[in-house]
């Protein structure tokens, strides 16, 4: 009679480590992360300005965020926009703690999702579908360092 085995795989993307273990099926194997925990790490919720509804956003769908007076406007991959009653500094701090990472203040009035950049030339970032952001003087060194670390096909 064959014993059933369970294969447990855990991938840690930050440390780039892989943990694989095989356990007897009768043993209790606790998953590293529940579905609810995984979902909670991918999304956040907020109430748009002057609305009573709450919106759930996926971090990965954010293309960029712009300052608009004391508000911030989230520009999404599907072309939609949401205005949040928070200053860009507050949004920047919030996004810096996002599990997917990749958000960077590129000038005084914009935060870019660096994973969404499609092109760059000099101090200009091109984001989908048709946005261009200028890299500010205070962000140039860090931003250019990040962009230069991308592998180049020669």
């Amino acid at each position: 009679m064959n014993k059933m085995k369970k294969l447990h795989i855990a991938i840690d993307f930050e440390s780039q480590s892989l943990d694989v273990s095989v356990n007897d099926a009768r043993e209790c194997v606790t998953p590293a992360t529940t579905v609810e925990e995984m979902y909670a790490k991918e999304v956040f919720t907020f109430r748009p300005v002057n609305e009573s509804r709450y919106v759930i956003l996926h971090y990965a769908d954010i293309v960029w965020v712009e300052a608009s007076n004391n508000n911030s406007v989230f520009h999404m991959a599907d072309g939609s926009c949401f205005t949040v009653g928070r200053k860009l500094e507050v949004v920047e701090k919030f996004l810096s703690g996002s599990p997917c990472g990749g958000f960077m203040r590129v000038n005084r009035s914009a935060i870019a999702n660096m994973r969404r950049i499609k092109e760059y030339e000099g101090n200009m970032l091109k984001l989908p579908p048709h946005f261009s952001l200028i890299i500010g003087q205070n962000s140039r060194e860090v931003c250019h360092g990040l962009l230069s670390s991308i592998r180049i096909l020669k």
Side-chain angles (χ1 to χ4, degrees):
M1 184 170 175
N2 279 348
K3 274 189 174 181
M4 292 197 51
K5 299 283 182 178
K6 285 187 180 180
L7 177 65
H8 175 74
I9 301 173
I11 302 170
D12 184 348
F13 291 101
E14 285 187 26
S15 66
Q16 297 181 350
S17 65
L18 176 68
D19 177 38
V20 179
S21 61
V22 179
N23 295 314
D24 190 310
R26 291 175 295 200
E27 293 177 21
C28 178
V29 178
T30 307
T33 307
T34 66
V35 174
E36 292 85 4
E37 289 171 331
M38 286 175 56
Y39 182 72
K41 290 179 181 180
E42 295 174 4
V43 301
F44 67 97
T45 186
F46 69 92
R47 198 176 85 202
V49 171
N50 299 324
E51 294 188 32
S52 59
R53 69 186 174 121
Y54 283 85
V55 175
I56 296 172
L57 291 184
H58 291 258
Y59 288 104
D61 292 340
I62 300 168
V63 178
W64 69 290
V65 185
E66 73 174 314
S68 177
N69 297 320
N70 287 327
N71 297 319
S72 297
V73 180
F74 285 78
H75 295 267
M76 308 303 291
D78 66 2
S80 62
C81 296
F82 298 98
T83 302
V84 181
R86 298 286 182 267
K87 289 185 175 186
L88 196 63
E89 296 83 36
V90 174
V91 172
E92 177 184 21
K93 193 175 208 177
F94 179 79
L95 291 176
S96 70
S98 76
C100 68
F103 293 97
M104 180 178 178
R105 182 80 170 257
V106 294
N107 61 45
R108 281 189 309 191
S109 59
I111 299 168
N113 183 345
M114 301 303 278
R115 295 169 188 248
R116 289 278 182 175
I117 294 171
K118 297 300 178 200
E119 296 178 35
Y120 69 95
E121 183 176 349
N123 292 323
M124 184 71 67
L125 301 175
K126 302 237 174 149
L127 299 151
H130 52 75
F131 297 110
S132 294
L133 297 176
I134 296 173
I135 302 170
Q137 198 166 8
N138 294 338
S139 303
R140 283 186 187 150
E141 187 176 328
V142 174
C143 192
H144 285 180
L146 177 65
L147 294 170
S148 66
S149 70
I150 299 171
R151 291 178 47 200
I152 299 172
L153 175 63
K154 295 182 182 183

